[in-house]
Amino acid sequence: MTPIPNRLIGADRLPHLLRQMPKAELHIHIEGSLEPELMFALAQRNGLNLTYADVSTLRQAYVFNDLQDFLNIYHAGTKVLRTEQDFYDMTWAYLRRAASDHVLHAEIFVDTQTHTGHGVTTDVVINGLHRACLDAQAQLGLSASLILCFLRNLSETEAFEALEQASPHLSKLVGIGLASSELGHPPEKFARVFAKARGLGLRLVAHAGEEGPPAYIWSALDALKVERIDHGVQAVQDPALMARLSRERIPLTVCPLSNLKLRVFQDLNHHNLGQLLDAGIVATINSDDPAYFGGYINENFTQTFAALGLTASHAYQLAFNSFEASFLEARAKQAMQDKLLEFFETSE
Ligand code: ADE
Ligand code: ZN
């Protein structure tokens, strides 16, 4: 059981507490952290033209009807990433930002297939990201690991190729995920490649139940054997699934501002995070693609808490869950959870 600190923390102190508390981020696509300013700088460095005149025109285009609408713009933005230094700079910018939000540990998604599709090798991508992760540990005290996401709109063969190309870098990856267009692309197509990754010692996650039905969450669990579900908010439609997620303590990495911007929920005060927590599910709060969705992890915490009327004990639970749901080894997990408890016991 989670020990909930019993000191009373006033509602007026809650935003400060949410920003300052130690936390882990488990659902961040590194390409979705590429801010327009850096995108323009990289375009210039690489002699490329963007279709938007300037940063503010680009930002104004960030209005989405659904996931696919977002993915089209997101994909266009990744074309400025060409060199290992580009990947380093993008990742370092995210990690510095995360450290300032009191993120102690981050598990970062990367879509290598997007970049190989632009003629950039997997080696360039992973080496750039990994070097930034090493620097984050050394200079910011933030631990970070990498999860390679297969693109579910591509074929099983292409996923096997992506895994093969990443094979010289297995020690730099903690796991495998599944991302991109969900509707019409159920998880089971990737059962064999996930089984292979599992055999290589990689941990397994998948996006499921973001826009797609509860059936996709069932098959992520049963066909892919994932340990964690990314999003998963559609689970509330299926009581048997809710009971399973809670009983088996399968974490959900929930991304409220993403859900709002992609119109999964029409309003933040209609979000079901409170319902997931009340059902005993190990839910966490994350930013998904913060450069596109109007906020990093702390913005996700403060806006969601304000909209749903969540309390300090929810804050503790969500931060505790973020460490529990991580792929950290047990001692590191415990050390971060101890820091969290100490923070709550001493904060005013
Ligand atoms: N890739 C980047 N962001 C994503 C999201 N929200 N869902 C699926 N794939 C993604
Ligand atoms: Zn995502």
Side-chain angles (χ1 to χ4, degrees):
M1 267 314 277
T2 316
I4 306 283
N6 52 20
R7 290 175 64 254
L8 259 166
I9 293 164
D12 54 330
R13 297 290 294 156
L14 196 49
H16 175 77
L17 177 111
L18 293 169
R19 289 195 192 96
Q20 299 292 317
M21 73 178 180
K23 53 185 77 75
E25 173 145 69
L26 307 177
H27 187 158
I28 160 80
H29 299 264
I30 200 63
E31 298 89 348
S33 75
L34 182 58
E35 292 287 346
E37 290 80 1
L38 184 56
M39 197 186 291
F40 273 88
L42 296 183
Q44 190 173 34
R45 183 154 99 187
N46 293 320
L48 301 165
N49 277 322
L50 290 171
T51 45
Y52 296 91
D54 53 34
V55 163
S56 75
T57 323
L58 175 57
R59 272 221 170 84
Q60 281 163 29
Y62 292 175
V63 178
F64 313 109
N65 289 315
D66 57 18
L67 174 60
Q68 190 57 51
D69 204 20
F70 157 69
L71 289 169
N72 297 338
I73 285 205
Y74 162 88
H75 185 257
T78 62
K79 291 187 178 155
V80 301
L81 296 157
R82 305 295 311 168
T83 68
E84 185 182 313
Q85 191 62 38
D86 298 341
F87 286 92
Y88 175 92
D89 291 345
M90 171 176 64
T91 309
W92 181 244
Y94 163 71
L95 289 164
R96 282 185 52 165
R97 180 63 207 252
S100 76
D101 280 356
H102 298 273
V103 170
L104 303 187
H105 174 69
E107 297 182 3
I108 298 175
F109 295 141
V110 58
D111 296 343
T112 57
Q113 286 167 293
T114 297
H115 310 295
T116 55
H118 302 156
V120 178
T121 65
T122 300
D123 300 354
V124 161
V125 178
I126 294 184
N127 287 336
L129 267 64
H130 181 64
R131 187 157 57 83
C133 292
L134 293 178
D135 286 355
Q137 183 68 70
Q139 297 175 38
L140 306 172
L142 189 164
S143 85
S145 41
L146 303 176
I147 296 177
L148 187 160
C149 280
F150 299 129
L151 300 184
R152 66 200 307 156
N153 53 307
L154 302 183
S155 67
E156 181 198 37
T157 305
E158 287 165 301
F160 270 112
E161 282 165 13
L163 185 57
E164 180 64 31
Q165 288 160 6
S167 62
H169 302 285
L170 286 187
S171 66
K172 300 172 193 152
L173 299 177
V174 71
I176 288 293
L178 186 65
S180 199
S181 323
E182 187 183 11
L183 287 170
H185 300 285
E188 49 272 20
K189 178 166 91 181
F190 298 97
R192 292 190 299 187
V193 70
F194 267 64
K196 174 151 189 206
R198 192 154 67 110
L200 295 170
L202 292 163
R203 310 296 294 265
L204 306 180
V205 301
H207 283 56
E210 178 182 11
E211 288 182 338
Y216 287 17
I217 303 177
W218 285 103
S219 68
L221 296 172
D222 293 331
L224 303 188
K225 307 206 181 310
V226 303
E227 301 165 70
R228 204 161 77 197
I229 297 284
D230 296 312
H231 293 291
V233 291
Q234 303 301 338
V236 297
Q237 297 176 37
D238 182 338
L241 178 57
M242 291 287 278
R244 179 176 180 189
L245 294 172
S246 168
R247 190 177 59 248
E248 298 183 12
R249 298 195 67 69
I250 295 158
L252 302 186
T253 63
V254 177
C255 306
L257 289 179
S258 163
N259 294 153
L260 180 67
K261 292 289 165 13
L262 302 187
R263 305 187 193 219
V264 173
F265 298 94
Q266 294 317 312
D267 213 302
L268 212 45
N269 53 27
H270 294 144
H271 200 285
N272 62 20
L273 178 65
Q275 204 182 330
L276 296 168
L277 290 170
D278 288 348
I281 288 172
V282 185
T284 64
I285 285 189
N286 307 269
S287 68
D288 207 4
D289 301 285
Y292 292 88
F293 299 151
Y296 286 76
I297 191 167
N298 280 0
E299 209 49 44
N300 273 271
F301 268 99
T302 52
Q303 290 194 31
T304 306
F305 271 62
L308 298 180
L310 301 179
T311 65
S313 93
H314 291 114
Y316 180 79
Q317 185 71 59
L318 284 158
F320 186 92
N321 289 351
S322 72
F323 298 121
E324 176 176 340
S326 76
F327 294 142
L328 285 164
E329 51 111 37
R331 274 171 54 151
K333 227 181 236 195
Q334 188 61 55
M336 291 183 194
Q337 286 171 334
D338 290 348
K339 272 193 189 169
L340 174 68
L341 186 55
E342 193 194 333
F343 172 83
F344 267 80
E345 283 175 345
T346 56
S347 71
E348 318 205 316

